[in-house]
């Protein structure tokens, strides 16, 4: 059963505009969420995270929003840059961090 | 610190053979995870070590899979009697005891013929 879902396999955005990547989860026990970025032939790289006690976390061009009632989180990238083109995975865990659940990924293409 | 390393990067084997992969985590990280990733999917959790103790194991993991972390440093993942369905990228990740953010290695791509 897929407990973390990314329903958009791909997204294309013009350089300089905002990219919004979405993620939904089903398990209400999840209390820590992460976004990873993956380039071809490399392992995922940690991008940004958020605890369930917050509804927003910002790090430079990247902001993650969490809506616990909707079991939904989103990653905003603004402004988008061509180097942001990659596959983005969201992940969730219970705070013990013993097991992580990943979504299927969204491939972002930023068009120069 | 050179990050998480995995060896080999690629492995081609015939069905029925055993394979073993190695992961060297970042030296001060006591948490270590193994994942499997197939095309179009996200990383799928296989198992978790805290130091040398294997604390979590996916219920999806068949008994042909075994992992060890004997001294709480490097880890090995063995697959016995490989099947074509085992073809995937096997990823290792590590993290400090007090952080959930994981550092991933480049993965080992397994092809079972």
């Amino acid at each position: 059963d897929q407990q973390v879902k990314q329903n958009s396999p791909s997204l294309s955005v013009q350089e300089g505009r905002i990219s919004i990547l979405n993620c939904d989860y089903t398990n209400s026990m999840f209390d820590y969420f992460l976004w990873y970025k993956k380039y071809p032939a490399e392992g995922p790289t940690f991008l940004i995270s958020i605890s369930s006690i917050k509804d927003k976390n910002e790090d430079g061009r990247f902001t993650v929003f969490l809506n616990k009632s909707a079991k939904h989180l989103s990653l905003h990238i603004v402004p988008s840059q061509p180097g942001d083109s990659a596959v983005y995975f969201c992940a969730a865990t219970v705070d013990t961090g013993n097991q992580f659940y990943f979504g299927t990924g969204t491939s972002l293409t930023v068009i120069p | 610190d050179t990050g998480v390393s995995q060896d080999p990067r690629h492995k081609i084997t015939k069905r029925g053979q055993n394979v073993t992969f190695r992961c060297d985590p970042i030296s001060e990280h006591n948490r270590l995870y193994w994942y499997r990733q197939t095309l179009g999917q996200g990383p799928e959790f296989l198992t978790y070590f805290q130091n040398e103790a294997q604390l979590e194991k996916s219920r999806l993991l068949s008994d042909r899979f075994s992992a060890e972390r004997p001294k709480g440093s490097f880890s090995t993942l063995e697959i016995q009697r490989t099947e074509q369905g085992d073809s995937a990228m096997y990823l290792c990740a590590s993290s400090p005891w007090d952080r959930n953010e994981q550092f991933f290695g480049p993965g080992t791509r397994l092809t079972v013929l």
Side-chain angles (χ1 to χ4, degrees):
Chain A
D1 58 338
Q2 192 74 24
Q3 299 190 49
V4 177
K5 300 176 184 178
Q6 293 176 258
N7 292 319
S8 297
S10 62
L11 174 68
S12 290
V13 172
Q14 289 286 337
E15 181 179 3
R17 306 294 291 268
I18 185 171
S19 296
I20 300 176
L21 295 91
N22 294 303
C23 179
D24 297 292
Y25 60 97
T26 58
N27 189 340
S28 58
M29 297 298 292
F30 290 148
D31 57 8
Y32 200 88
F33 305 88
L34 310 96
W35 284 94
Y36 288 85
K37 175 179 177 180
K38 185 182 184 305
Y39 293 118
E42 297 182 9
T45 302
F46 168 73
L47 197 56
I48 192 169
S49 62
I50 188 166
S51 166
S52 61
I53 62 174
K54 296 183 175 182
D55 54 18
K56 176 183 175 181
N57 189 28
E58 191 171 355
D59 184 1
R61 297 186 297 112
F62 302 91
T63 303
V64 55
F65 295 91
L66 176 62
N67 183 333
K68 291 184 289 293
S69 60
K71 295 191 180 68
H72 177 83
L73 64 156
S74 61
L75 174 67
H76 292 211
I77 306 173
V78 56
S80 301
Q81 299 174 354
D84 296 329
S85 297
V87 178
Y88 289 78
F89 293 99
C90 66
T93 187
V94 177
D95 195 47
T96 55
N98 286 7
Q99 188 165 345
F100 289 79
Y101 297 84
F102 281 76
T104 52
T106 296
S107 178
L108 173 66
T109 301
V110 179
I111 303 165
Chain B
D1 185 0
T2 56
V4 178
S5 61
Q6 292 186 244
D7 182 69
R9 294 292 305 274
H10 303 272
K11 178 71 176 178
I12 300 173
T13 191
K14 293 183 179 179
R15 189 175 51 187
Q17 297 295 305
N18 299 343
V19 295
T20 300
F21 309 141
R22 177 179 170 124
C23 170
D24 287 272
I26 294 172
S27 58
E28 63 269 25
H29 289 182
N30 69 338
R31 292 177 155 187
L32 187 146
Y33 304 82
W34 284 99
Y35 294 87
R36 175 173 61 193
Q37 186 177 18
T38 54
L39 194 63
Q41 301 296 313
E44 176 190 20
F45 171 80
L46 294 179
T47 191
Y48 161 63
F49 288 86
Q50 184 168 303
N51 298 313
E52 66 277 7
Q54 188 175 20
L55 297 187
E56 289 283 348
K57 189 174 176 181
S58 170
R59 58 187 168 83
L60 301 175
L61 205 62
S62 83
D63 56 6
R64 296 184 297 105
F65 287 70
S66 62
E68 293 184 340
R69 195 183 182 196
K71 297 183 180 179
S73 56
F74 74 92
S75 176
T76 58
L77 177 69
E78 181 182 17
I79 309 174
Q80 296 182 327
R81 305 181 304 281
T82 53
E83 302 172 356
Q84 287 185 325
D86 296 332
S87 295
M89 177 72 82
Y90 289 84
L91 293 163
C92 175
S94 70
S95 66
W97 70 271
D98 58 345
R99 302 287 299 274
N100 282 330
E101 294 80 9
Q102 298 174 7
F103 294 78
F104 280 83
T108 294
R109 180 167 295 283
L110 172 66
T111 301
V112 181
L113 302 176

